[in-house]
């Protein structure tokens, strides 16, 4: 799931919406009218030798492959957060600047590939692909990474993982897609770092932005969702949405825990090994230990914790979250100490035992 951009659809992202609708509409039309597809082929030799410069505009905007169009649309939809944060004009300037830079980079990389490997690159995949890959640069540098879950206890899944997976899928869709990806990443890095003051050279003028604001924005603008209250932009929205997701996760875990306890009381554990005998529940572990005679201690140094708990530090925040889920404080302390303050491992441990 895309967890970095909120749940407001295309609100305050008219440029992203227009790119999704217009470019995908043209891709569908070319699929139905294959006789016109030759006009949108990104043929490098036709541009350099036959001087068909118009192919740069046609071939570097519209995708001819449905799979490329779908993956790039998913990425544009996710990267709409930059249009919300920085405004439509800055977002359009970034796309325009990286589009111009990547057009030059495409030919330079193709010539370098031919010089190194003696192989001439004649065609490249069509579509707005290099500027989409360039958006991975600000996405990597400016979007905070928040953990969502873990796989096998070691592989961390974050709110940015699915975006990288879609980008990898787009990268492997055709043999020379890597050249466009490299061109886009180099262009995005150059424009984002403002090397040679590229942001002051390649940008959308104010008068063009005003024309788009009065003509195109009313057509492609989206209404504000009525079920959402006005919130701050940027990372504040991401944090608030993450908090709501965590509250929902706590409620689901509590429901699963209550259901598991009810099922455990009604039927015994089945299987080849009785795991409850090998690993008893936390509530009964103190009873299975050998009783030890308490040592006399001064009254002023008596501890309020049970004697079988270690003295390793435990975050009170994590303890409070586990107590809110329905576990006792003693079980929460022992589970957190056993899992080295990992709230996910402690929760799974408590639910399974």
């Amino acid at each position: 799931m895309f967890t970095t951009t909120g749940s407001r659809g295309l609100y305050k992202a008219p440029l992203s919406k227009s790119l999704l609708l217009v470019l995908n509409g043209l891709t569908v039309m070319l699929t139905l009218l294959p006789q016109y597809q030759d006009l949108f082929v990104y043929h490098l030799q036709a541009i350099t030798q036959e001087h068909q410069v118009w192919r740069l505009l046609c071939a570097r905007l519209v995708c001819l492959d449905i799979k490329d169009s779908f993956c790039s649309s998913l990425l544009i939809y996710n990267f709409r957060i930059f249009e919300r944060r920085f405004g439509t004009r800055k977002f359009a300037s970034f796309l325009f600047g990286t589009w111009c830079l990547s057009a030059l980079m495409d030919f330079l990389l193709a010539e370098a590939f031919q010089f190194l490997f003696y192989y001439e690159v004649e065609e490249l995949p069509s579509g707005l692909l290099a500027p989409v890959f360039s958006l991975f640069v600000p996405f990597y540098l400016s979007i905070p990474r928040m953990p969502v879950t873990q796989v096998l206890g070691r592989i961390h899944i974050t709110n940015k993982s699915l975006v990288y997976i879609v980008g990898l899928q787009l990268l492997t869709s055709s043999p020379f897609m890597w050249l466009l990806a490299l061109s886009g990443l180099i262009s995005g890095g150059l424009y984002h770092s403002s090397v040679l003051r590229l942001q002051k050279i390649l940008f959308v003028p104010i008068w063009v932005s005003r024309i788009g604001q009065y003509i195109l924005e009313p057509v492609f603008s989206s209404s504000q969702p009525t079920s959402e209250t006005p919130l701050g932009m940027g990372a504040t929205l991401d944090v608030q949405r993450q908090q709501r997701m965590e509250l929902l996760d706590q409620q689901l875990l509590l429901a699963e825990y209550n259901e598991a306890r009810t099922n455990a009381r009604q039927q015994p554990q089945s299987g080849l090994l009785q795991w409850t005998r090998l690993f008893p529940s936390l509530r009964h572990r103190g009873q299975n230990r050998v009783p030890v005679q308490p040592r006399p201690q001064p009254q002023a140094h008596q501890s309020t914790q049970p004697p079988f708990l270690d003295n390793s530090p435990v975050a009170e925040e994590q303890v409070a979250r586990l107590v809110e889920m329905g576990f006792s404080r003693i079980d929460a302390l022992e589970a957190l100490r056993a899992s080295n303050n990992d709230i996910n491992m402690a929760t799974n441990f408590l639910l399974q035992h």
Side-chain angles (χ1 to χ4, degrees):
M1 61 183 296
F2 294 90
T3 60
T4 63
T5 57
S7 57
R8 300 185 296 167
L10 292 167
Y11 175 63
K12 289 189 177 180
L15 180 58
S16 300
K17 184 177 181 180
S18 62
L19 291 176
L20 291 174
L21 293 178
V22 174
L23 299 184
N24 288 324
L26 291 175
T27 300
V28 174
M29 289 178 60
L30 290 176
T31 304
L32 300 176
L33 302 172
Q35 62 270 23
Y36 297 104
Q37 290 185 1
D38 184 65
L39 301 175
F40 295 85
V41 174
Y42 193 6
H43 201 291
L44 299 181
Q45 301 301 322
I47 297 174
T48 56
Q49 297 178 4
E50 301 176 13
H51 306 289
Q52 297 180 359
V53 185
W54 52 270
R55 284 188 180 272
L56 281 175
L57 182 62
C58 297
R60 301 189 77 248
L61 284 178
V62 183
C63 291
L64 296 179
D65 192 342
I66 296 294
K67 184 174 63 175
D68 293 348
S69 178
F70 178 74
C71 292
S72 60
S73 298
L74 286 178
L75 293 174
I76 292 174
Y77 180 79
N78 186 73
F79 291 147
R80 74 198 188 281
I81 186 174
F82 296 117
E83 186 175 2
R84 291 177 180 171
R85 288 188 176 185
F86 307 125
T88 301
R89 180 169 176 259
K90 288 186 177 180
F91 183 66
S93 298
F94 184 89
L95 291 178
F96 173 72
T98 54
W99 188 90
C100 296
L101 290 174
S102 60
L104 177 61
M105 286 295 172
D106 291 347
F107 290 94
L108 293 178
L109 291 176
E111 291 294 329
F113 186 80
Q114 181 180 0
F115 177 77
L116 293 175
F117 301 101
Y118 303 100
Y119 184 87
E120 185 178 7
V121 180
E122 297 181 356
E123 292 184 7
L124 290 176
S126 301
L128 193 70
L129 301 174
V132 170
F133 279 112
S134 68
L135 287 169
F136 276 99
V137 175
F139 179 75
Y140 175 79
L141 296 176
S142 60
I143 300 299
R145 185 179 64 176
M146 295 180 293
V148 177
T149 185
Q150 289 183 356
V151 178
L152 302 177
R154 294 180 180 271
I155 304 175
H156 294 273
I157 304 298
T158 67
N159 57 334
K160 301 167 71 172
S161 299
L162 186 57
V163 183
Y164 292 129
I165 293 175
V166 175
L168 184 62
Q169 174 65 34
L170 182 61
L171 179 64
T172 57
S173 63
S174 60
F176 285 101
M177 185 66 74
W178 64 269
L179 194 146
L180 292 178
L182 183 59
S183 172
L185 293 176
I186 294 175
S187 304
L190 292 175
Y191 194 88
H192 187 266
S193 59
S194 191
V195 177
L196 303 176
R197 298 184 177 181
L198 291 174
Q199 295 182 3
K200 296 183 178 180
I201 300 174
L202 301 173
F203 64 93
V204 175
I206 298 179
W207 62 272
V208 176
S209 176
R210 289 179 178 174
I211 292 176
Q213 181 180 359
Y214 288 107
I215 297 178
L216 299 179
E217 188 172 354
V219 178
F220 295 104
S221 61
S222 300
S223 59
Q224 182 179 4
T226 57
S227 59
E228 186 173 354
T229 58
L231 296 174
M233 301 296 292
T236 305
L237 178 61
D238 298 333
V239 172
Q240 292 175 352
R241 186 173 185 273
Q242 186 70 17
Q243 290 175 352
R244 293 197 296 268
M245 291 176 59
E246 289 176 356
L247 182 59
L248 180 60
D249 290 341
Q250 290 178 7
Q251 295 174 354
L252 293 176
L253 285 174
L254 182 58
E256 291 176 2
Y257 171 71
N258 294 331
E259 183 180 357
R261 263 180 39 181
T262 305
N263 295 336
R265 290 174 181 174
Q266 293 178 356
Q267 55 184 2
Q269 183 180 4
S270 59
L272 191 60
L273 294 177
Q274 297 293 331
W275 296 103
T276 54
R277 296 178 59 187
L278 297 177
F279 302 98
S281 174
L282 290 173
R283 291 172 174 76
H284 302 289
R285 289 184 181 182
Q287 303 174 4
N288 297 334
R289 298 193 176 187
V290 179
V292 180
Q293 294 295 333
R295 297 180 181 178
Q297 295 180 359
Q299 186 69 21
H301 298 282
Q302 286 185 355
S303 175
T304 58
Q305 296 181 351
F308 60 89
L309 292 178
D310 300 330
N311 292 325
S312 56
V314 175
E316 283 297 327
E317 256 183 51
Q318 315 284 20
V319 177
R321 290 180 60 183
L322 291 176
V323 171
E324 288 178 0
M325 294 183 194
F327 303 110
S328 67
R329 181 179 177 82
I330 297 176
D331 295 346
L333 287 170
E334 187 171 352
L336 286 171
R337 282 172 178 155
S339 61
N340 195 18
N341 278 334
D342 192 323
I343 185 67
N344 295 323
M345 292 180 61
T347 305
N348 295 334
F349 193 71
L350 289 170
L351 290 175
Q352 293 174 6
H353 300 87

